[in-house]
Amino acid sequence: MALKKPSQQASATRKYASDQDIEQLAERLAGKPYGSPGNSTPVTEAEDPLKRTTISLPASLLDKTEDTALRNKRSGREPKSVSALVRDALAEYFKNHP
């Protein structure tokens, strides 16, 4: 008995969605917001989940930020990471520029 490649095995059992199935799914999902349903209650900083993002910085600014984070980590001071430094800097900025 010859063994089938996984791609050959799956094709026999794979179910494809019909145009009608796709249309029904699109109708069910239309207008739904992304993420969790929101409420009007403000979220405290401790409850606010972190989300990942990517930023581009000049090399010299990134070097200073990484050096500061490393110095803080070695001395036991906060903030101890580049992310924490950037979060603190942005929080301070928005405190002064609402």
Side-chain angles (χ1 to χ4, degrees):
M1 180 173 151
L3 293 177
K4 292 183 178 179
K5 294 178 185 176
S7 59
Q8 292 171 327
Q9 294 172 354
S11 63
T13 59
R14 185 175 292 150
K15 180 183 176 193
Y16 294 95
S18 69
D19 288 341
Q20 183 180 5
D21 293 335
I22 294 169
E23 188 63 34
Q24 287 175 349
L25 178 61
E27 288 295 322
R28 278 199 334 251
L29 297 177
K32 287 192 175 183
Y34 290 103
S36 305
N39 59 26
S40 59
T41 307
V43 178
T44 65
E45 191 173 324
E47 298 170 330
D48 199 5
L50 298 178
K51 291 175 74 174
R52 184 178 301 265
T53 189
T54 302
I55 61 171
S56 298
L57 300 172
S60 60
L61 184 57
L62 180 58
D63 290 344
K64 287 179 186 177
T65 307
E66 289 173 336
D67 290 345
T68 301
L70 184 59
R71 262 195 318 277
N72 288 353
K73 189 172 186 175
R74 288 179 176 165
S75 67
R77 287 184 298 176
E78 295 290 335
K80 297 179 181 180
S81 69
V82 171
S83 292
L85 275 168
V86 173
R87 275 194 304 272
D88 287 357
L90 285 171
E92 186 66 26
Y93 176 85
F94 288 120
K95 194 185 311 179
N96 295 320
H97 302 87

